[in-house]
Amino acid sequence: MVGVSRIKLHESVNERRGDVIGTGRLSDRSVQSLNVVALNADDCERAFDACVETVLHSSGLTDEQRLSALSELWLARAIRSDRSKIDAEMSDQTLDAFLQAGRYAYAYLFYTKRQPSERSFELRQVQVIGFYNFSVQRVVTRFFQELPHLDKQWTQTQLAGWTVMRPEAGPKSVESTAEPTEPVELLSASTLRFNGLRNVYRRDGFGSEFVAVAPPDKPDNDVPWREPDYASMTGALLFDGTTLNDVLATRQVRVLVRDPYRDDSVTVAGREVPLAANFTAAYGVWLARSGFASQSIRSLLGREGGIKTPRVFLMQPYDPNRMTVIMLHGLASSPEAWINVSNEVMGDAELRRNYQVWEIYYPTNAPIAVNLANIRKALDTTFRHFDPSGKARASNNVVLIGHSMGGVIARLLVSSSGDRLWSVIPTRADLSPAKKARLRERLSPYLQFTPMPQVTRAVFLASPQRGTPYAQHTLARWFGNLIRLPANVIKEVASVSDLIKGDSESSTPMRIPNSIDNLSDKDPFIMAAADLPMSPAVRYHTIVGVYTPPGPLIDSSDGVVPYRSAHLDGAESELAIPSWHSVQETPAAILELRRILRLHTAAHSTAVSWSSEKSPSRNVAATANSWLPTN
């Protein structure tokens, strides 16, 4: 007798899509395969070995039915026994079950009669890819836990009755003169959830996504750059064999490791398949562990624990063939100002292929002129370190993006000062020629500069290019009085003060403005710097916030910076967005930045190909692929 009933459409879809990963129960397809050979899920749970043998040798199933069902059966067994915490060590029995599940899924994908492309519209293939990737995630996690017990030069080891070969990184991994180091932590990207990031950018494909955490470098205050300690990594399992029977009989497996920023596909069993990737997780972990929020305030107030000199943070391993985007935050801020901006750039496939992001982190208590000189020095040093010849794509057609005070500094980085800023230094007419010469020598690094030759485009967001009256308000002046200038600035001011005063003049300390003073529309430096000519090679854009009540744009403000100050004549484009001062975080501003970067790509498009040019220092790719032989 046959009865019929109706269910809701979404329930039908859920039933078809459900499998052991999502529901804890075998999928409909696996249940059907068991029914064909007179078995059910309960039978297989009671007598697993007999169930597997029946499915493996029954003539009533096709290879695809057999292999996909065996993969899910072994995965169900592994999940039931894998009751430990996410990063806890699993048993050999559980590891073997995950490897069996991965092997049968691998055989289904690459060693059946049909090509994977012929099943591209089939839900069953999507499920089996899920079985494989889930198994990879758990197996690679266990393999990583074994690393501390292995010799540095190991080539293979025995685990749970399997021969595990040393991981393979592939031909596109960055070479480095530094000795590869093992990661100290390996995080499964799929188990991470982030607050504060608008989107998590992934690429579906073959393999499982991880974050490889490098051991922290010893502090080196002599170098301004900081390469990322958190690497995006994709892992996969390759099972030995060239035929279906070989793969089903093998007990040998190799872990394949890839940097998804450099590889978007991988060749497996003679077929090129897309590589899975997570482009947000490493960035999110770095931000979550950075401590920037409190450190930036300590830096502003000049307290212990703040930074004293600018740092150049590379968001990805240095790539000579990607153009560089440099981001400068504003007052009392840090790289956290760019949380979603950087993530959106790295998440955009076209932009990711063409750009790498550097974020400048600098002490915002120092005067603008001091930060300008120090940031320029840090950038020049970083470019020379990674590209001594200056010919790489990364060293040309650089894009500067600055918010608020960072936008003021960004504009000055592409401007020429000539002798126009000397007027801001009060000097006596009777200074001797010798003192005048010494004074000029001492202040030239801060008051005389030329545009960065690497930069050909800049974007200024909510930047007070002509200062802001809000810097003179009572609250701003009260807060400004809490700021302590860096010790090196105080020392420099004292020596300059001695040079300025006459020989018979009593010693009166010269007051140097702090960063809040510098942002006032009455500040001598900001007034003198407002009309400095920018390099004709630089195309520039402005993005302004409009927070005040409706009215003429020219009279508007973002609540901190008036439109009249943020506006720049000659800009290639200007976008006004309803927003408070933190306009860079709005979706509209991020869309505009993406448009500008695409425009820049079109203007400077070249074929992007990997270069084996060696980087002279440790890099994240070397860390992510650090399970490799060092030959």
Side-chain angles (χ1 to χ4, degrees):
M1 300 293 292
V2 175
V4 63
S5 61
R6 302 183 68 177
I7 63 174
K8 294 180 180 179
L9 180 59
H10 72 272
E11 292 175 348
S12 171
V13 172
N14 288 338
E15 285 182 3
R16 290 200 306 272
R17 291 181 178 177
D19 57 39
V20 69
I21 297 176
T23 67
R25 301 187 302 274
L26 294 180
S27 63
D28 281 351
R29 290 297 183 90
S30 290
V31 170
Q32 289 172 11
S33 296
L34 293 179
N35 289 338
V36 169
V37 295
L39 292 172
N40 58 48
D42 291 337
D43 295 332
C44 289
E45 189 167 353
R46 284 193 301 267
F48 182 80
D49 292 341
C51 171
V52 167
E53 283 296 309
T54 301
V55 174
L56 184 59
H57 298 293
S58 174
S59 60
L61 299 173
T62 66
D63 282 346
E64 289 186 7
Q65 290 174 315
R66 184 189 335 278
L67 296 173
S68 60
L70 286 168
S71 178
E72 189 169 15
L73 285 168
W74 276 105
L75 185 59
R77 182 179 177 89
I79 291 174
R80 282 196 300 271
S81 63
D82 189 28
R83 302 300 185 187
S84 58
K85 295 180 180 178
I86 292 175
D87 295 320
E89 185 173 332
M90 70 177 69
S91 68
D92 283 354
Q93 181 183 13
T94 303
L95 174 61
D96 175 66
F98 277 123
L99 282 165
Q100 296 278 11
R103 180 176 60 177
Y104 283 115
Y106 182 84
Y108 168 93
L109 293 171
F110 302 111
Y111 289 95
T112 51
K113 291 181 180 179
R114 289 198 296 169
Q115 300 279 342
S117 58
E118 296 179 76
R119 298 186 294 248
S120 58
F121 286 96
E122 295 183 14
L123 173 62
R124 190 54 168 170
Q125 178 159 276
V126 174
Q127 290 176 320
V128 175
I129 292 172
F131 303 158
Y132 174 85
N133 289 346
F134 191 97
S135 300
V136 168
Q137 188 269 315
R138 297 302 293 133
V139 169
V140 172
T141 298
R142 169 65 194 277
F143 284 176
F144 176 75
Q145 293 166 348
E146 297 294 327
L147 283 177
H149 310 297
L150 301 175
D151 182 85
K152 290 185 178 180
Q153 301 301 322
W154 72 284
T155 57
Q156 64 183 52
T157 189
Q158 298 294 317
L159 286 175
W162 290 74
T163 300
V164 180
M165 308 300 293
R166 191 180 184 93
E168 173 189 311
K172 291 187 177 181
S173 298
V174 161
E175 297 180 35
S176 174
T177 57
E179 188 74 16
T181 56
E182 301 292 355
V184 295
E185 193 176 0
L186 192 68
L187 307 174
S188 171
S190 62
T191 64
L192 304 175
R193 295 294 180 269
F194 299 99
N195 296 320
L197 284 168
R198 191 172 298 130
N199 294 309
V200 173
Y201 284 100
R202 296 183 60 258
R203 181 174 62 215
D204 290 328
F206 183 72
S208 188
E209 310 105 72
F210 297 90
V211 177
V213 183
D217 281 338
K218 294 181 180 179
D220 188 351
N221 295 323
D222 293 332
V223 299
W225 63 86
R226 299 291 187 273
E227 296 185 80
D229 290 329
Y230 301 88
S232 296
M233 187 192 100
T234 301
L237 298 177
L238 304 181
F239 294 88
D240 191 43
T242 57
T243 67
L244 176 59
N245 289 335
D246 289 344
V247 172
L248 295 183
T250 191
R251 300 285 292 185
Q252 181 168 295
V253 62
R254 182 185 297 276
V255 180
L256 178 143
V257 176
R258 288 290 190 269
D259 176 354
Y261 278 100
R262 293 188 167 86
D263 295 297
D264 55 15
S265 64
V266 63
T267 300
V268 181
R271 298 178 178 90
E272 187 172 350
V273 295
L275 188 70
N278 189 310
F279 300 104
T280 297
Y283 177 61
V285 174
W286 174 66
L287 284 171
R289 297 183 177 184
S290 67
F292 285 141
S294 59
Q295 188 182 52
S296 61
I297 297 299
R298 292 196 298 270
S299 297
L300 174 65
L301 299 177
R303 301 305 193 264
E304 189 67 27
I307 63 169
K308 298 178 174 59
T309 57
R311 300 171 185 172
V312 182
F313 285 107
L314 278 64
M315 296 294 100
Q316 305 93 31
Y318 174 77
D319 187 337
N321 290 315
R322 283 182 171 92
M323 290 185 288
T324 305
V325 177
I326 300 173
M327 299 182 181
L328 294 95
H329 61 78
L331 182 71
S333 192
S334 71
E336 286 185 318
W338 306 110
I339 286 176
N340 286 301
V341 180
S342 288
N343 188 44
E344 297 293 326
V345 171
M346 291 185 285
D348 185 301
E350 179 185 347
L351 299 184
R352 188 171 59 246
R353 283 193 299 268
N354 285 280
Y355 294 102
Q356 57 195 324
V357 176
W358 296 2
E359 294 187 4
I360 308 298
Y361 185 28
Y362 62 97
T364 58
N365 58 338
I368 288 177
V370 173
N371 271 324
L372 172 65
N374 290 340
I375 290 172
R376 175 66 180 269
K377 181 180 177 181
L379 285 171
D380 288 346
T381 302
T382 303
F383 276 116
R384 282 196 304 270
H385 170 76
F386 287 103
D387 180 27
S389 70
K391 295 180 180 179
R393 192 183 188 214
S395 301
N396 295 277
N397 298 310
V398 170
V399 180
L400 278 181
I401 300 177
H403 171 249
S404 192
M405 186 169 71
V408 176
I409 295 173
R411 181 177 62 83
L412 296 179
L413 285 170
V414 295
S415 300
S416 298
S417 65
D419 289 329
R420 301 188 185 191
L421 297 181
W422 288 101
S423 61
V424 304
I425 304 298
T427 59
R428 294 174 58 92
D430 59 351
L431 280 184
S432 66
K435 277 194 171 184
K436 286 182 179 179
R438 285 159 55 196
L439 183 65
R440 179 169 286 269
E441 179 183 3
R442 187 66 58 81
L443 294 180
S444 286
Y446 308 109
L447 300 179
Q448 284 194 303
F449 44 83
T450 57
M452 285 185 65
Q454 298 94 338
V455 180
T456 57
R457 194 175 298 269
V459 186
F460 312 115
L461 298 98
S463 302
Q465 307 291 1
R466 298 181 180 278
T468 170
Y470 294 95
Q472 301 176 66
H473 285 191
T474 302
L475 181 60
R477 295 180 67 177
W478 173 83
F479 193 77
N481 290 332
L482 300 178
I483 294 176
R484 295 178 186 171
L485 291 171
N488 62 320
V489 174
I490 295 174
K491 183 178 179 180
E492 188 79 356
V493 170
S495 62
V496 170
S497 182
D498 289 340
L499 287 174
I500 291 176
K501 65 184 180 63
D503 294 333
S504 60
E505 187 178 353
S506 60
S507 179
T508 302
M510 173 185 175
R511 184 187 181 277
I512 192 75
N514 58 41
S515 51
I516 290 183
D517 295 326
N518 266 170
L519 293 178
S520 167
D521 57 356
K522 305 297 183 183
D523 179 73
F525 179 87
I526 204 76
M527 294 172 67
D531 295 316
L532 294 180
M534 278 189 273
S535 167
V538 176
R539 298 186 173 191
Y540 55 96
H541 310 254
T542 58
I543 299 175
V544 301
V546 180
Y547 184 73
T548 51
L553 179 62
I554 196 169
D555 296 326
S556 68
S557 163
D558 63 15
V560 175
V561 176
Y563 169 81
R564 295 173 188 268
S565 183
H567 170 78
L568 286 175
D569 292 335
E572 190 167 285
S573 67
E574 178 180 271
L575 178 65
I577 298 173
S579 170
W580 170 252
H581 183 58
S582 297
V583 66
Q584 83 282 3
E585 279 291 288
T586 63
I590 293 173
L591 280 173
E592 175 69 355
L593 287 171
R594 291 168 71 169
R595 180 193 72 82
I596 292 169
L597 290 174
R598 284 196 177 92
L599 182 71
H600 191 68
T601 302
H604 304 285
S605 60
T606 59
V608 180
S609 60
W610 176 248
S611 167
S612 61
E613 179 181 351
K614 291 186 177 181
S615 167
S617 70
R618 188 193 75 155
N619 53 69
V620 144
T623 301
N625 298 319
S626 60
W627 299 348
L628 309 178
T630 56
N631 58 335

